[in-house]
Amino acid sequence: MGAKRIGRKEVYKGKIFTIVQDEILFDDGSVAQWDLVVHNGASAVVPITENKEVILVKQYRNAKDGYVLEIPAGKLEKGEDPLECAKRELEEEIGFKAGRMTKICSMFTAVGFSDERLHLYMAEQLQVGKQNLDEDEYIEVVTYPITKAVEMIFKGEICDSKTIAGLLAVENLLRYSK
């Protein structure tokens, strides 16, 4: 069983992503048109303090039309190393640098319609740096014990997918690294 892309047409080009319409040829000879959001990718970081607290950002998100709790994250610049992006976002968004960064995984954020790949890290041995928000970023930095943050997932208080994946992964890593 196989399929391959035989054509691509750009439909929209924006600041953050591009939308294309692909033609896909299947083994039986049929052709389908699929829409795809093309994105440079992103990095996200779960910052953990020595007291096993996670530092999150609370910010307005248009998709929810409300405030969302998230781990620090940002999009990759063209050709940027994902680890360098993670370090940059950690300091820009919450004002910390990490003595140790551990790669958790890379994952597609919405593989059904986007090629965005998110690189997920855990940051430990935090040291104070300098917060430097983008011009259009209005965030509040909040801290929760990792166990409380995970409870908040199941209460619907944390609804962002990268944050959910990151918190569950880090809680698991911390539990089994004792």
Side-chain angles (χ1 to χ4, degrees), residues 6-170:
I6 58 172
R8 172 168 281 182
K9 177 175 77 173
E10 188 175 290
V11 177
Y12 168 81
K13 183 156 186 73
K15 184 172 93 172
I16 297 174
F17 59 83
T18 300
I19 299 175
V20 297
Q21 190 169 66
D22 287 340
E23 277 189 286
I24 309 299
L25 173 65
F26 293 93
D27 284 347
D28 68 0
S30 64
V31 176
Q33 290 195 340
W34 288 358
D35 296 333
L36 181 69
V37 175
V38 178
H39 189 281
N40 280 349
S43 289
V45 187
V46 181
I48 294 292
T49 69
E50 290 180 19
N51 297 329
K52 305 298 183 235
E53 293 177 319
V54 61
I55 303 172
L56 302 174
V57 296
K58 182 178 181 180
Q59 60 185 328
Y60 177 83
R61 289 301 193 183
N62 190 35
K64 184 181 182 221
D65 191 21
Y67 286 84
V68 177
L69 287 169
E70 300 176 55
I71 56 178
K75 72 179 184 77
L76 292 165
E77 299 303 327
K78 192 149 185 90
E80 184 178 22
D81 177 66
L83 177 59
E84 293 308 310
C85 177
K87 290 177 181 179
R88 174 175 44 84
E89 291 298 327
L90 180 68
E91 186 168 16
E92 281 182 7
E93 291 193 1
I94 66 168
F96 281 93
K97 295 180 180 186
R100 181 169 65 195
M101 296 280 282
T102 305
K103 177 97 180 239
I104 295 172
C105 68
S106 293
M107 61 186 177
F108 287 100
T109 57
V111 74
F113 63 87
S114 177
D115 71 349
E116 179 187 15
R117 187 176 292 261
L118 179 86
H119 305 275
L120 190 56
Y121 296 87
M122 176 172 62
E124 297 174 285
Q125 301 169 0
L126 301 177
Q127 304 139 19
V128 176
K130 185 177 186 319
Q131 187 181 41
N132 184 22
L133 299 175
D134 291 339
E135 193 174 284
D136 61 350
E137 272 184 314
Y138 303 96
I139 66 173
E140 177 185 349
V141 177
V142 294
T143 304
Y144 296 97
I146 186 75
T147 53
K148 167 85 170 138
V150 169
E151 287 174 15
M152 293 168 73
I153 293 169
F154 298 105
K155 290 180 179 176
E157 297 170 30
I158 293 177
C159 58
D160 172 64
S161 61
K162 73 183 172 303
T163 302
I164 291 170
L167 292 174
L168 293 174
V170 167

